[in-house]
Amino acid sequence: MDAPYSLRRRFARVAGGGAAVLLVAVLTGCTSKPVLVPDATTAAAGPTTTTSAVNLAVPGTLAWDFTNELQPSLSGKIGLAVMPVGGDRVVAVGDWNSGPAWSSIKVPLALAALRQNPGGYTAAATAAITLSDNTAADTLWQSLGTPDTAAATVQAVLREGGDTVTTVPATRARADYSAFGQAEWSIADQLKFASKLPCLPQSESVTSLMGKISSGQRWGLGTLDGAQFKGGWGPDPSGNYLVRQFGLIPVQGGQVAIAIAAQATSGSFDEGTTMLTKISALIGKHLGELRGGAC
C-alpha cells in the first residue's frame, strides 16, 4: 500500500540500508562487451547475508559506473539487483538492501487473486497494478479469505517464485497501512521472485498489466522501452520515503529481471523517484552488457 502524495514531506537523513555487494564484470563468448555475472560469494545473497565487498568491475561497465560515478553523485542510499529470467544467481550493487514492500507486493497479490477467481477480479487487479490503487488491492486481499489465509496465499506465490524468505504479515504493523504492504522484502528476494515471475502459471495476466502502468508512475524503470514493472513507495515512521521498483526488461537473449530502490537523505518522495530514474538511465546505457533468459 502506497502512502498518499499529501504525506510527502522533507525530513532528516534516512536510516537503514546495508553493506554493498558489488558486481563482477567478465568477458564471455563472442562478444567484446563485458557481461555481468555474480562472483560465487554473492550468489543468491539473502537479506541477512554478509559478504566481503568484491570490486573487480571493469571501468565503463554498469557495475563500475554505478559504484564509482552514480552512487557518489546521489544524496541517499540506493540499490540495484539484476538476474536473467529463469536464473538462480543474484548480483547486486549499492548500499540499500531491504525494506517494506509497499505496493510492489501487489504483483503476487494480484496473481493470487486472479488464480483463485479467474475473471472475477480483473478490474480490481488492473487498478491495483496499473494505478497502484489501494482500495482495489484491499479488494483483492479480502477475496482471498481471512487475513491469515490471504497472507498464506500471497506468501505461497512468493515461495513458488523462488523467494524462500519473505513473510507476508496477516495483521497491520502500522494502522494507516495495509498488512501486506509492510512485508519486509529484500532487494535480493524481490529479484528472485521477479526472475521466476514470467514462468509461473497464469502470470501473463499480471505481467501484461505491468506493461501498462499509468503515465504518472512511469518514472524509474518505466522510462525504459518495453519494461514490465511495478513500483512501491511510502514513509517510515519518521516520514522518510522509500521508493522501489522491480520489473522485467527485454534484452539480448530474452528478459532480465531488475530491482531498484532509493531512500533520499532528504526523505523526499520526489527525490526518491528522481534517483530511480537516474539509476534506470544508467541501466539503459548498459543494456548491451546484460544477457536475458527465458522460461
Side-chain angles (χ1 to χ4, degrees):
M1 182 174 185
D2 294 325
Y5 290 176
S6 61
L7 291 179
R8 298 178 201 161
R9 300 172 60 189
R10 301 178 70 88
F11 287 83
R13 183 175 180 81
V14 176
V21 181
L22 302 182
L23 297 176
V24 180
V26 299
L27 296 175
T28 65
C30 61
T31 178
S32 60
K33 294 184 177 181
V35 180
L36 300 177
V37 299
D39 177 74
T41 60
T42 68
T48 60
T49 299
T50 301
T51 60
S52 299
V54 179
N55 190 0
L56 300 179
V58 176
T61 64
L62 174 58
W64 178 274
D65 288 352
F66 184 101
T67 304
N68 296 282
E69 300 293 337
L70 180 62
Q71 189 170 347
S73 75
L74 300 178
S75 180
K77 295 182 180 296
I78 57 175
L80 163 67
V82 184
M83 182 161 61
V85 164
D88 59 4
R89 289 185 145 197
V90 174
V91 290
V93 63
D95 55 3
W96 186 95
N97 68 1
S98 190
W102 294 109
S103 279
S104 63
I105 201 74
K106 290 174 182 174
V107 172
L109 169 60
L111 180 55
L114 291 174
R115 283 175 168 181
Q116 186 160 297
N117 191 344
Y121 289 94
T122 301
T126 298
I129 299 299
T130 66
L131 302 175
S132 206
D133 185 276
N134 292 330
T135 300
D138 285 338
T139 297
L140 298 177
W141 177 256
Q142 293 169 21
S143 77
L144 296 174
T146 66
D148 285 337
T149 299
T153 304
V154 176
Q155 189 169 299
V157 175
L158 294 179
R159 297 292 181 268
E160 187 182 351
D163 178 353
T164 63
V165 174
T166 303
T167 299
V168 179
T171 58
R172 294 176 182 244
R174 298 171 65 186
D176 293 337
Y177 304 108
S178 67
F180 51 88
Q182 290 301 298
E184 183 77 10
W185 206 2
S186 77
I187 197 168
D189 290 319
Q190 186 176 70
L191 183 70
K192 293 173 191 176
F193 174 76
S195 73
K196 298 294 190 295
L197 176 61
C199 311
L200 302 183
Q202 303 177 47
S203 63
E204 196 276 335
S205 63
V206 174
T207 56
S208 63
L209 296 176
M210 293 168 66
K212 301 174 183 177
I213 301 298
S214 66
S215 59
Q217 297 175 21
R218 297 196 69 85
W219 27 263
L221 295 179
T223 62
L224 298 177
D225 290 341
Q228 296 175 318
F229 70 101
K230 181 71 187 80
W233 58 90
D236 66 16
S238 297
N240 301 302
Y241 268 79
L242 165 66
V243 188
R244 63 187 304 175
Q245 292 176 322
F246 78 92
L248 305 164
I249 310 295
V251 295
Q252 183 176 332
Q255 289 179 304
V256 64
I258 295 179
I260 57 177
Q263 288 181 310
T265 299
S266 67
S268 163
F269 167 84
D270 291 325
E271 188 174 355
T273 64
T274 297
M275 292 166 74
L276 292 196
T277 297
K278 289 181 178 180
I279 295 171
S280 299
L282 182 64
I283 293 169
K285 292 179 181 179
H286 291 276
L287 285 178
E289 296 173 24
L290 305 178
R291 297 296 177 266
C295 300

